């Protein structure tokens, strides 16, 4: 099996290019959030960076995985919650890039018991809210939800400004909502800021690796999946 590199939230950063160059042998998994930078990035450069990531996927369809984050979905679908720093000046072009290349992006990617999403999956959310089937591959269910599963999938939890007692879905789950990650899986996620790649064991055997640390120059390298 190929090594896997997990690259946390991009937000306009170009460090991913160096990471890809360093690891030509690896499958590259982008964990989403390509736009809405924290500091100033010229809009033309921001969109050009997204186009370059799309082109990388087109050139390496089997070795590059592009996940979607909450800062991507709000340009694709006006009915999902808007994240902070939504940019009205790029919304038309951003929507065009995402929708024209929709088939290149996914909500989740799974290899064996290793699951990659933007924000993570808690056990209770998957079984009680999303009503997933733990006997079937999880990524397939997340990528192809039924109509009744969509509200839970896109939900903003209480920790991120949602309704009281609500748990965030795979685009919004907060670290505080992931104390009991999906049992039997090792998850790789972005979304929750950390200074370096951080692993945490759940109370019932699930494991989650937080990788939203690109701003500090860090990313995940796995010589083999779990």
């Amino acid at each position: 099996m190929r090594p896997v590199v997990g690259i946390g939230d991009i937000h306009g950063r170009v460090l991913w290019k160096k990471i890809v160059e360093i690891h030509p042998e690896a499958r590259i998994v982008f964990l989403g959030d390509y736009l809405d930078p924290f500091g100033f990035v010229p809009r033309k450069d921001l969109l050009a960076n997204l186009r370059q990531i799309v082109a990388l996927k087109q050139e390496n369809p089997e070795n590059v995985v592009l996940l979607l984050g909450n800062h991507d979905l709000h340009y694709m679908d006006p009915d999902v919650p808007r994240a902070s720093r939504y940019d009205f000046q790029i919304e038309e072009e951003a929507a065009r890039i995402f929708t024209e290349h929709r088939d290149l992006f996914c909500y989740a990617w799974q290899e064996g018991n290793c699951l990659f999403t933007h924000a993570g999956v808690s056990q209770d959310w998957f079984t009680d809210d999303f009503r997933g089937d733990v006997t079937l591959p999880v990524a397939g269910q997340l990528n192809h939800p039924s109509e009744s599963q969509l509200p839970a999938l896109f939900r903003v939890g209480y920790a991120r400004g949602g309704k009281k007692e609500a748990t965030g879905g795979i685009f919004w789950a907060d670290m505080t909502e992931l104390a009991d990650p999906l049992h039997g899986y090792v998850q790789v996620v972005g979304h929750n800021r950390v200074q370096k790649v951080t692993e945490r064991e759940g109370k019932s055997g699930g494991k989650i690796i937080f990788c939203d640390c690109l701003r500090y120059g860090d990313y995940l390298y796995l010589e083999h999946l779990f």
Side-chain angles (χ1 to χ4, degrees), residues 9 20 30 41 50 57-58 70 76-77 91 95 100 104-105 112-113 115 123 129 138 159 163 175 178 226:
D9 304 24
V20 170
F30 289 86
V41 177
L50 174 58
K57 169 67 173 176
Q58 291 173 318
N70 54 320
M76 301 173 69
D77 185 346
E91 62 178 356
E100 285 187 1
L104 300 181
F105 294 89
N113 72 330
L115 177 66
Q123 178 69 24
D129 298 342
V138 172
K163 293 181 179 179
M175 187 180 289
L178 295 168
F226 298 88

Side-chain angles (χ1 to χ4, degrees), residues 79-213:
D79 294 327
V80 303
R82 277 187 181 158
S84 58
R85 304 186 307 284
Y86 182 89
D87 191 339
F88 290 94
Q89 295 191 45
I90 67 166
E91 62 178 356
E92 185 175 339
E93 181 61 16
R96 187 188 68 78
I97 295 171
F98 282 122
T99 54
E100 285 187 1
H101 302 288
R102 179 64 184 86
D103 61 321
L104 300 181
F105 294 89
C106 58
Y107 295 161
W109 182 71
Q110 179 178 347
E111 191 75 42
N113 72 330
C114 199
L115 177 66
F116 293 70
T117 64
H118 176 63
V121 179
S122 68
Q123 178 69 24
D124 288 347
W125 175 86
F126 185 74
T127 55
D128 299 341
D129 298 342
F130 184 73
R131 298 194 178 278
D133 186 340
V134 295
T135 68
L136 298 175
V138 172
Q141 298 175 68
L142 298 174
N143 284 323
H144 304 286
S146 67
E147 193 71 26
S148 64
Q149 291 173 317
L150 290 176
L153 192 74
F154 298 129
R155 181 187 299 149
V156 181
Y158 182 65
R160 294 287 179 130
K163 293 181 179 179
K164 192 172 183 180
E165 297 181 359
T167 300
I170 62 170
F171 305 102
W172 285 95
D174 188 77
M175 187 180 289
T176 60
E177 299 168 333
L178 295 168
D180 187 22
L182 192 61
H183 301 171
Y185 285 84
V186 176
Q187 295 187 59
V188 177
V189 305
H191 187 62
N192 288 281
R193 241 177 288 170
V194 288
Q195 289 196 341
K196 61 181 180 179
V197 171
T198 301
E199 298 185 11
R200 191 168 73 183
E201 295 277 353
K203 59 185 180 183
S204 298
K207 182 177 181 179
I208 193 159
I209 305 174
F210 297 98
C211 301
D212 182 10
C213 48

Side-chain angles (χ1 to χ4, degrees), residues 8-71:
D9 304 24
I10 297 294
H11 291 305
R13 301 181 185 90
V14 298
L15 180 58
W16 65 269
K17 298 178 184 179
K18 185 66 175 177
I19 297 170
V20 170
E21 182 183 325
I22 292 171
H23 300 289
E25 80 292 355
R27 175 176 279 121
I28 307 294
V29 182
F30 289 86
L31 296 169
D33 279 6
Y34 306 97
L35 302 174
D36 303 342
F38 287 90
F40 174 73
V41 177
R43 290 184 173 93
K44 63 179 180 60
D45 295 344
L46 183 67
L47 293 168
N49 194 45
L50 174 58
R51 291 190 196 98
Q52 290 163 9
I53 291 172
V54 167
L56 179 71
K57 169 67 173 176
Q58 291 173 318
E59 294 161 6
N60 304 274
E62 299 302 317
N63 296 321
V64 175
V65 176
L66 302 183
L67 298 183
L68 290 167
N70 54 320
H71 286 271

